[in-house]
Amino acid sequence: MKVYRSLVSLLLALESCSAYNAWGYTNQSELPYYGQVPPVYPTPVRNGSSNSEWAAAYTRAYSLIAQMTLEEKVNVTRGFTGTCVGNSGSVPRLGINPLCLADAPDGIRGQEFVSSFPAGIHIAATFDRDLMYQYGAALGEEYRGKGINIALGPVAGPLGRVATGGRNWEGLSADPYLAGAGMGMITKGIQDKGVIATPKHFLLNEQEWRRRPTLGLGEAVSSNADDRTIHEMYAFPFMDAIKAGAASVMSSYQRINNSYSSQNSKLLNGILKTELGFEGFVVSDWDGQYTGIASANAGLDLVMPDAGFWGGNLTDAVRNGSVSEVRLNDMVARQLAAFYVLGQDRSYPPPSIYSSTQKHLAVNVQSNHKSLIAEIGAAGTVLVKNVNNALPLRNPQFLNIYGYDAQTSPSPWSNPSRYGGGYEVNFGWKTFNGTLVTGGGSGGSTPPYVVSPFQAIQERMTAQNPPGMLRWDFYSGNPSPAYVNADACLVFINAYASESFDRVILTDEFSDDLVNNVAANCSNTIVVLHSTGIRLVEAWIDNPNVTAVLFAGVPGQESGHSLTSVLWGEVSPSGRLPYTVAKQQSDYGSPEVVNGSVSLDAFPQSNFAEGLFIDYRHFDRESITPRFEFGFGLSYSTFSYGKIGVSDLGGNLNEFPDPQVPIVQGGHPWLWQALYNVSISLTNTGPQDAHEVPQLYVTVPEPGTPVRQLRGFERVLLKAGETKTVVFSLTRRDLSVWGVVAQDWKINRGTYGIVVGSSSRNMKANATIHIA
Ligand SMILES: *[C@@H]1O[C@H](CO)[C@@H](O)[C@H](O)[C@H]1NC(C)=O
Ligand SMILES: *[C@@H]1O[C@H](CO)[C@@H](O)[C@H](O)[C@H]1NC(C)=O
Ligand SMILES: *[C@@H]1O[C@H](CO)[C@@H](O)[C@H](O)[C@H]1NC(C)=O
Ligand SMILES: *[C@@H]1O[C@H](CO)[C@@H](O)[C@H](O)[C@H]1NC(C)=O
Ligand SMILES: *[C@@H]1O[C@H](CO)[C@@H](O)[C@H](O)[C@H]1NC(C)=O
Ligand SMILES: *[C@@H]1O[C@H](CO)[C@@H](O)[C@H](O)[C@H]1NC(C)=O
Ligand SMILES: *[C@@H]1O[C@H](CO)[C@@H](O)[C@H](O)[C@H]1NC(C)=O
Ligand SMILES: *[C@@H]1O[C@H](CO)[C@@H](O)[C@H](O)[C@H]1NC(C)=O
Ligand SMILES: *[C@@H]1O[C@H](CO)[C@@H](O)[C@H](O)[C@H]1NC(C)=O
Ligand SMILES: *[C@@H]1O[C@H](CO)[C@@H](O)[C@H](O)[C@H]1NC(C)=O
Ligand SMILES: *[C@@H]1O[C@H](CO)[C@@H](O)[C@H](O)[C@H]1NC(C)=O
Ligand SMILES: *[C@@H]1O[C@H](CO)[C@@H](O)[C@H](O)[C@H]1NC(C)=O
């Protein structure tokens, strides 16, 4: 213990020297001190005061708790091995059944007859709230159909601080507003079907290396972020999910300011349960509990997948007063109230879960979700280059198809638990696992089938009368050419990522060479890139023979159909990049993976010294020209933007929300009040019906704040020639900064800049709002 402590202070001392300027501090002794979590105790005891549904649920929960013994209460706070990925303890005497918890955020993992939806990063690229809601609702239907009580998603941790982060694809976007919109809509969609959503991982789960303690090495990495950054960036998207009613939240594996998130009282008791008024329960990540008494008192409510440090030890701890019975009752109440508030006591199906040893009647929960999956797949496909009218394809007669990503994997797909896919280069070994439809690890989905790009292209070519023709070579890096008569050469490559490791580079040589080798002899080369996130394209983007490039994301089971609807022009692309594509990896600046696997640090430290300045906020501040900016994407049509109109909705513009107004689930109610409406007219000036995605960015009058931050977007369908007026509502939260002294959201006095554009850099109109 003693050795540890002095090691920590040594590390902290060393870091301070290099880090303090980045924080804007000139006096080193005023530097915020890492390694200290402001203590927030005790855990707020909830009672459902947020609304009448929660109140009724809490009343029922407490009347049950009144009948429970100490052992029975302790029993429901822990996991047991059982049917599901997670199973809470039951109380047979009182008819309290185990709750079934299951992955994944983009489709139920490891089950038969379930759908594989596009990944989080793909739904974010649609910039479409309605699709986000439908996505959540369809997922909810499947979870419910399988009798799963608790869905482990959606994901906003990672947010995407590190460009190479291994789980960024499970999350939505490196922009907290876009991520928040998705978190809110997906949570609402899931819970409208009666399933408990579990926004995760709370918080700062931004890298995979050393995310957990490593035997013989030391503790997990510590994500060290300041209070303002935590609020305005990382906790921000969770606010939307909690506002939408999320009844559960999962903690992260990492340490935050050197205190594990599952026992971090500032995060759980403070931000989540006080500021955000969270009525639900906090569940640990699997084996992500590291102490018993400390985690109970810091606000953890349920440990998975077993007893962890609780079980009989928690009983003892309550008996000897280390954990109060009030705290234990609150843990149980939060879980039971979540169950009641979602109506799961009324006719919830029993779990119908795959087992390798037991044949059973598998419930088919796919419904007609495949059409929604195909629609989202197309809507999240981003066209970033299109010259010489390469796309859409016009009645092509002869196409060449290249690359390992065009086809499903040649290796068997029989393992029910996980679908591989993707070209793996991270560890130096190379395998061709076929087209990428989902990522790896617990966030991966389990497709019932995979429509590959090649299959869907064949369907198109054979639907013509007479049929067209195809030539292909999937696995060669320098394919033998059949170019001469071809209308186009389509090259399919991908970038895979998985839980438990981070990517090392944002490109790979084999795929880059493949593109250039095809382009060397084919003057109409179209690149399709399935990618778990940022992928650099400098090796070939300026090659004049590369005429079109699609960032086709992580599209799920209907991959090929989504793609061909864009290639053949039925769908005009409207996907927008939910991250910045740089010209070189170093352009992303300081946020990097702390590679604990090569470091012998017992306490690896990851300082979020860049604060608010990740992704486009960083590129804007440093005036770095990206290859493709955040929010960018081309269309087959063209649009014109009118002038901005601003209307003051007459809301309260006090600097701070009224402290007399009670906090409810989602935080102070005023934060969500619309204060201004910003309108703009939009005309489709091109030849075909198409969606456009106008985006609103705000400049807040506060020093040290990113010059532009996304605060509105809308995906708008416009017929050729049609004009529509788009209205964005700006809430108090949209205009506020987190005041670290006041510990509250603050609206500044001064002039706010408003710009509307077709990306974060292509501004079409602007206006100002003056708050006196
Ligand atoms: C730096 O801050 C410390 C603590 O606030 C203060 O005592 C000291 O005078 C400051 N030094 C300078 C040079 O301003
Ligand atoms: C982490 O430390 C920073 C710097 O002292 C502080 O601003 C922030 O509130 C802390 N957050 C947590 C969750 O400990
Ligand atoms: C319910 O909880 C809220 C928030 O913690 C608190 O302000 C209120 O006094 C509680 N009401 C009752 C009846 O306990
Ligand atoms: C605790 O939960 C387990 C698993 O559901 C169950 O078998 C056991 O009977 C429960 N214990 C009590 C005391 O209810
Ligand atoms: C109590 O915790 C210890 C580890 O600290 C563990 O070995 C033991 O199994 C736990 N006991 C119960 C009853 O869970
Ligand atoms: C109370 O019980 C817990 C769990 O057995 C134990 O870890 C702790 O040391 C005990 N505390 C006291 C003061 O006896
Ligand atoms: C890719 O396929 C190889 C066998 O061809 C297998 O060993 C490997 O685990 C697969 N990778 C993934 C990520 O599925
Ligand atoms: C971490 O270091 C190891 C050993 O050098 C290396 O193999 C691995 O690729 C590195 N990981 C990252 C994410 O940089
Ligand atoms: C291009 O085509 C020529 C003639 O067919 C062939 O010799 C050459 O190898 C091809 N180049 C590449 C890079 O495939
Ligand atoms: C483009 O393709 C043509 C063949 O169609 C070839 O002659 C030319 O060298 C290619 N250019 C590049 C830059 O690869
Ligand atoms: C403001 O815009 C919202 C849509 O974002 C709309 O529902 C509301 O009616 C508008 N309010 C006014 C006063 O125009
Ligand atoms: C706002 O619009 C004016 C007039 O078109 C233009 O000169 C100015 O550069 C714009 N400002 C921003 C921040 O886009």
Side-chain angles (χ1 to χ4, degrees), residues 20 136 148 152 278 307 355 392 425 460 598 608 632 667 702 766:
Y20 73 99
I148 296 161
L152 301 176
F278 181 56
S355 137
V425 290
R460 293 275 173 170
V598 285
F608 289 29
F632 175 74
E702 167 85 17
N766 63 28

Side-chain angles (χ1 to χ4, degrees), residues 275-555:
E275 287 171 27
L276 299 180
F278 181 56
E279 301 268 12
F281 62 92
V282 178
V283 56
S284 75
D285 203 339
W286 267 229
D287 297 309
Q289 187 201 37
Y290 308 97
T291 59
I293 294 168
S295 62
N297 289 332
L300 186 69
D301 302 304
L302 174 62
V303 54
M304 280 290 151
D306 49 28
F309 289 85
W310 289 351
N313 287 332
L314 181 56
T315 314
D316 291 348
V318 172
R319 284 214 176 96
N320 73 19
S322 304
V323 174
S324 72
E325 187 141 14
V326 170
R327 174 76 269 265
L328 177 64
N329 289 345
D330 179 58
M331 292 179 190
V332 177
R334 287 170 176 274
Q335 189 192 127
L336 294 178
F339 172 79
Y340 287 127
V341 87
L342 271 297
Q344 295 192 347
D345 55 317
R346 301 190 296 267
S347 74
Y348 208 78
S352 164
I353 298 295
Y354 173 86
S355 137
S356 57
T357 54
Q358 223 175 355
K359 188 163 167 59
H360 70 110
L361 212 56
V363 183
N364 189 334
V365 295
Q366 298 173 85
S367 183
N368 61 350
H369 298 152
K370 74 176 165 78
S371 56
L372 176 66
I373 290 167
E375 183 183 355
I376 294 172
T381 296
V382 188
L383 178 66
V384 296
K385 181 177 183 181
N386 193 17
V387 296
N388 309 335
N389 289 321
L391 290 179
L393 300 172
R394 290 168 191 78
N395 197 23
Q397 296 305 303
F398 178 2
L399 297 176
N400 286 315
I401 312 295
Y402 299 107
Y404 54 86
D405 181 67
Q407 252 299 28
T408 48
S409 172
S411 49
W413 168 222
S414 55
N415 180 348
S417 75
R418 203 158 284 181
Y419 181 75
Y423 173 65
E424 178 51 62
V425 290
N426 274 312
F427 294 119
W429 43 266
K430 298 184 180 182
T431 51
F432 298 110
N433 288 347
T435 195
L436 179 87
V437 300
T438 185
S442 66
S445 60
T446 305
Y449 59 82
V450 174
V451 176
S452 70
F454 186 64
Q455 178 187 334
I457 289 168
Q458 295 220 90
E459 287 171 10
R460 293 275 173 170
M461 296 300 272
T462 56
Q464 300 174 12
N465 191 9
M469 67 169 274
L470 297 167
R471 291 290 183 269
W472 59 87
D473 182 347
F474 299 131
Y475 300 114
S476 168
N478 191 0
S480 49
Y483 305 123
V484 185
N485 276 324
D487 296 310
C489 303
L490 274 67
V491 189
F492 291 86
I493 60 175
N494 67 46
Y496 175 77
S498 173
E499 177 179 9
S500 83
F501 62 88
D502 296 295
R503 296 161 71 194
V504 176
I505 47 169
L506 297 171
T507 177
D508 80 82
E509 213 180 320
F510 177 88
S511 306
D512 284 342
D513 288 349
L514 170 65
V515 171
N516 281 326
N517 289 340
V518 170
N521 277 351
C522 187
S523 59
N524 189 22
T525 298
I526 295 167
V527 181
V528 178
L529 168 64
H530 287 117
S531 163
T532 45
I534 294 167
R535 204 302 187 174
L536 306 187
V537 295
E538 293 310 297
W540 39 262
I541 194 71
D542 284 330
N543 186 326
N545 287 355
V546 173
T547 52
V549 178
L550 287 162
F551 271 67
V554 187

